[in-house]
């Protein structure tokens, strides 16, 4: 069992009992999924109000033999959204192994430090195995089951196809030949579903007619376009059937991009155009991508991460990253890199310097009462009530990695570490009863991964998440948390919004993870 903090005494590892009842306002938070050896490593104590006071502020990192390999005093961070935060920084420890964090009498469960920890634990299960277990029937239009068998949004399929394609292109060497073929076939399944949703008059239908639970909005078309364009790099150019699919994709993406009413954001236009260029090598695409990047970099307004758009179909800096790789001698290269460096310094490095480096969401210090009192301010989320979606956070992680590679500033990648840390346990805390190992009545806060059905303690997904077959094996990302005036930071598997398991989020996390691994494992 994971650690529990109370006002007087702490229940620690193995479930030791105390006479004082557990409280909901404190937690020892850490990445239950593990830490990349070369990246920043922090555990955080999160408290609300005086009742959560720990008392002793010392911490230790304990190795498998029981020896303390690092220690220090907790460092106080700014109070943010009513959470009093203190951190233990053990970034200098890079030796692979299993460790525990001890803060006073509180102790974490064992976690791993090592190379490619997140990738080894998550990528295969979240890509190949997840996709295969989600295959929908032909009567339901094919594609993949989303939150349930009645949902098949174009936007979710676009994000998932992009994540699968990134996995095959960037980490295909981790799969044997047979599994690479299986993964490519799953990408084709997603492509065919999206192509079937394309409307001759323009745009994409929200869902297949047999699956009408998904939401109706304009984001379905840009996400579908991005997923299709990303899939081009994953298709087999030697296979006639794949060449036919690619020809259809190129035709649709060009037509939709060039439609006068499309009005695509500059970064999305640049992304689609660079993906077309990488596939076909058309000089006109190179010129268009350059023009769109010029427009994007001139107009992008960073907001310290807090205003990061949840509905951006493409990462903000992927097109620039690809463009710099394709045109190393271009006359505008230095101008573009300088603009990216300024964006990183204004919009991402402040996140690193604030509590956002340790615990999302980012924001200025603010009292808990102000943070939750309606109609007062709430954290900058992605929906009503301050909803914090993991797809938004994963997308920010990907852009942070891209900017770190573009600018050569490794500190920017620390923002990706923080974002991925939120999903893997450094979030605001989940009641133990809502985790895979918690007892029904245990309301104490624990660190929990938002990734369902990996070995580590995780937040339980939406109870109504279902389709025919064994959903208990599907590795998927729970959506996020909500701030409400009544409960403050809240998570519940009964709440549709907070605990959905969209393939949209799975795709966003896959894209972020394979880029993150590439930065720390390949580049170093």
């Amino acid at each position: 069992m994971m650690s529990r903090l109370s006002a007087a005494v702490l229940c620690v590892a193995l479930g030791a009992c105390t006479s004082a009842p557990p409280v909901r306002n404190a937690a020892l938070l850490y990445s239950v999924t593990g830490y990349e050896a070369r990246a920043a490593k922090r555990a955080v104590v999160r408290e609300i109000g005086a009742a959560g006071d720990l008392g002793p502020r010392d911490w230790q990192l304990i190795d498998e033999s029981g020896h303390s390999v690092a220690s220090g005093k907790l460092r106080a961070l700014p109070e943010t959204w009513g959470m009093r935060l203190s951190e233990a920084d053990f970034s200098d420890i890079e030796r692979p192994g299993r460790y525990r964090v001890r803060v006073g009498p509180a102790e974490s469960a064992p976690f791993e430090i090592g190379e490619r920890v997140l990738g080894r634990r998550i990528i295969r299960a979240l890509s190949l195995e997840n996709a295969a277990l989600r295959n929908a029937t032909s009567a339901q239009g094919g594609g993949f089951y989303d939150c349930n068998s009645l949902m098949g949004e174009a936007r979710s399929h676009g994000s998932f196809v992009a994540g699968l394609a990134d996995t095959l292109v960037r980490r295909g060497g981790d799969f044997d030949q047979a599994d690479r073929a299986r993964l490519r076939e799953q990408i084709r399944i997603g492509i065919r579903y999206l192509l079937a949703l394309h409307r001759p008059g323009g745009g994409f239908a929200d869902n297949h007619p047999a699956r009408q639970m998904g939401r109706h909005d304009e984001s379905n078309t840009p996400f579908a376009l991005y997923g299709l364009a990303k899939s081009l790099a994953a298709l087999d150019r030697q296979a006639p059937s794949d060449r036919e699919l690619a020809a259809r994709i190129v035709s649709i993406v060009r037509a939709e991009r060039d439609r006068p009413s499309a009005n695509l954001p500059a970064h999305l236009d640049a992304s689609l155009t660079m993906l077309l260029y990488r596939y076909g090598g058309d000089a006109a695409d190179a010129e268009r991508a350059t023009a769109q990047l010029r427009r994007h970099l001139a107009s992008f307004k960073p907001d310290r991460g807090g205003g990061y758009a949840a509905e951006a179909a493409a990462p903000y800096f992927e097109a620039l990253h690809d463009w710099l790789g394709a045109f190393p001698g271009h006359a505008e290269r230095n101008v573009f890199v300088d603009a990216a460096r300024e964006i990183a310094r204004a919009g991402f490095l402040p996140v690193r310097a604030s509590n956002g480096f340790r615990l999302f969401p980012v924001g200025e210090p603010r009292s808990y009462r102000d943070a939750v009192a309606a109609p007062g301010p709430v954290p900058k989320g992605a929906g009503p009530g301050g909803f914090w979606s993991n797809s938004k956070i994963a997308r920010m992680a990907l852009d942070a990695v891209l900017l770190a590679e573009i600018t050569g500033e490794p500190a920017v990648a620390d923002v990706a570490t923080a974002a991925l840390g939120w999903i893997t346990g450094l979030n605001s805390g989940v009641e133990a009863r809502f985790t895979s190992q918690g007892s029904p009545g245990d309301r104490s806060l624990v660190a929990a991964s938002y990734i369902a059905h990996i070995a580590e303690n995780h937040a339980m997904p939406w109870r109504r998440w279902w389709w025919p077959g064994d959903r208990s094996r599907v590795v998927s990302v729970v959506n996020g948390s909500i701030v409400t005036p009544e409960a403050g930071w809240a998570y519940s598997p009964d709440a549709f919004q907070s605990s959905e398991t969209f393939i949209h989020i799975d795709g966003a996390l896959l894209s972020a993870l394979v880029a993150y691994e590439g930065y720390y494992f390949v580049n170093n």
Side-chain angles (χ1 to χ4, degrees):
M1 180 178 289
M2 303 179 70
S3 58
R4 308 170 190 170
L5 283 71
S6 70
V9 187
L10 298 150
C11 283
V12 297
L14 305 180
C17 297
T18 75
S19 57
V23 296
R24 300 176 58 190
N25 67 345
L28 172 60
L29 305 172
Y30 58 99
S31 175
V32 300
T33 313
Y35 296 83
E36 168 61 42
R38 297 184 182 93
K41 307 169 199 70
R42 286 164 170 81
V44 170
V45 172
R46 173 258 208 190
E47 302 163 88
I48 296 176
D53 190 17
L54 265 177
R57 315 303 286 182
D58 300 303
W59 65 268
Q60 291 180 298
L61 186 69
I62 311 298
D63 67 12
E64 292 175 276
S65 64
H67 296 123
S68 174
V69 296
S71 62
K73 294 279 187 184
L74 288 177
R75 188 169 80 88
L77 303 172
E79 178 179 300
T80 300
W81 308 117
M83 300 182 218
R84 289 194 292 125
L85 307 175
S86 305
E87 73 170 10
D89 185 341
F90 46 98
S91 299
D92 291 340
I93 304 301
E94 297 187 359
R95 182 178 178 180
R98 294 187 68 77
Y99 298 84
R100 291 167 287 132
V101 173
R102 183 179 295 157
V103 181
E107 192 170 287
S108 75
F111 55 83
E112 183 180 358
I113 293 175
E115 289 187 339
R116 302 186 57 203
V117 169
L118 299 181
R120 285 189 282 106
R121 292 179 178 272
I122 299 169
I123 288 176
R124 178 187 175 88
L126 194 61
S127 59
L128 176 58
E129 296 172 10
N130 183 30
L133 286 165
R134 287 179 179 267
N135 287 170
T137 66
S138 58
Q140 293 167 308
F144 307 103
Y145 292 126
D146 208 341
C147 291
N148 56 68
S149 59
L150 299 180
M151 184 175 285
E153 292 180 333
R155 67 192 302 275
S156 288
H157 277 74
S159 178
F160 194 44
V161 167
L164 295 177
D166 278 335
T167 301
L168 183 60
V169 171
R170 286 178 174 261
R171 304 305 312 169
D174 294 345
F175 298 83
D176 62 26
Q177 184 175 358
D179 281 344
R180 284 197 298 273
R182 290 177 59 212
L183 181 55
R184 184 174 280 116
E185 181 54 33
Q186 293 302 319
I187 295 168
R188 294 186 187 110
I189 287 171
I191 290 171
R192 295 185 190 107
Y193 183 81
L194 289 170
L195 291 176
L197 296 186
H198 185 246
R199 296 180 295 220
F204 288 77
D206 302 327
N207 299 271
H208 185 272
R211 295 154 75 185
Q212 285 297 320
M213 191 172 174
R215 70 181 183 182
H216 171 71
D217 65 35
E218 295 179 354
S219 69
N220 282 291
T221 290
F223 273 96
L225 286 174
Y226 178 68
L228 288 173
K230 286 287 286 186
S231 73
L232 289 169
L235 293 174
D236 182 356
R237 290 176 182 255
Q238 305 305 313
S241 59
D242 276 10
R243 291 201 299 272
E244 181 180 342
L245 279 178
R248 292 182 63 192
I249 291 168
V250 169
S251 176
I252 288 172
V253 172
R254 285 196 188 283
E256 294 292 337
R257 182 199 65 180
D258 297 342
R259 195 179 301 281
S261 60
N263 195 28
L264 298 178
H267 78 279
L268 177 56
D269 192 309
S271 290
L272 297 177
T273 304
M274 277 305 302
L275 292 166
L276 291 173
Y277 175 79
R278 285 170 56 190
Y279 186 80
D282 190 327
D285 285 329
E287 293 176 7
R288 178 174 180 139
T290 303
Q292 292 296 330
L293 283 171
R294 196 180 298 124
R295 184 163 70 95
H296 168 52
L297 293 171
S299 62
F300 186 81
K301 292 181 171 39
D303 187 23
R304 296 187 57 179
Y308 207 74
E311 302 304 331
Y316 286 116
F317 302 104
E318 183 179 68
L320 176 59
H321 187 273
D322 290 350
W323 184 93
L324 291 170
F327 309 113
H330 196 282
E332 290 185 87
R333 178 184 180 87
N334 290 341
V335 174
F336 284 0
V337 170
D338 286 344
R341 186 171 288 114
E342 182 56 35
I343 289 169
R345 290 173 177 170
F348 284 75
L349 290 181
V351 174
R352 183 187 187 279
S354 75
N355 72 292
F357 183 37
R358 290 89 182 175
L359 180 73
F360 275 77
V362 297
E364 298 298 330
R366 201 176 292 245
S367 74
Y368 181 70
R369 182 175 59 188
D370 288 345
V372 300
V378 296
K380 296 176 181 178
F387 172 57
W388 270 79
S389 168
N390 285 327
S391 59
K392 166 181 178 174
I393 292 169
R395 185 66 89 206
M396 187 176 183
L398 174 53
D399 267 328
V401 172
L402 294 171
L403 276 175
E405 293 187 337
I406 290 167
T407 64
E409 296 193 28
V412 182
D414 290 341
V415 178
T417 299
L420 296 176
W422 168 278
I423 297 172
T424 61
L426 279 160
N427 46 62
S428 56
V430 174
E431 290 184 14
R433 63 189 175 127
F434 292 148
T435 67
S436 56
Q437 299 174 11
S439 60
D442 189 350
R443 301 174 71 91
S444 59
L445 290 170
V446 297
S449 170
Y450 277 127
I451 306 169
H453 303 137
I454 55 174
E456 288 74 25
N457 194 47
H458 64 79
M460 300 296 285
W462 183 38
R463 296 186 198 279
R464 290 173 290 170
W465 180 50
W466 63 273
W467 56 78
D470 185 5
R471 67 182 173 90
S472 67
R473 295 171 53 211
V474 174
V475 174
S476 190
V477 185
V478 177
N479 207 353
S481 298
I482 297 177
V483 176
T484 66
E486 298 79 18
W489 283 97
Y491 165 82
S492 169
D494 293 317
F496 178 82
Q497 192 178 49
S498 66
S499 50
E500 296 161 317
T501 48
F502 283 130
I503 54 175
H504 167 51
I505 315 171
D506 299 347
L509 183 60
L510 281 171
S511 293
L513 280 177
V514 296
Y516 186 76
E517 276 207 341
Y519 181 79
Y520 279 108
F521 184 70
V522 177
N523 292 359
N524 289 290

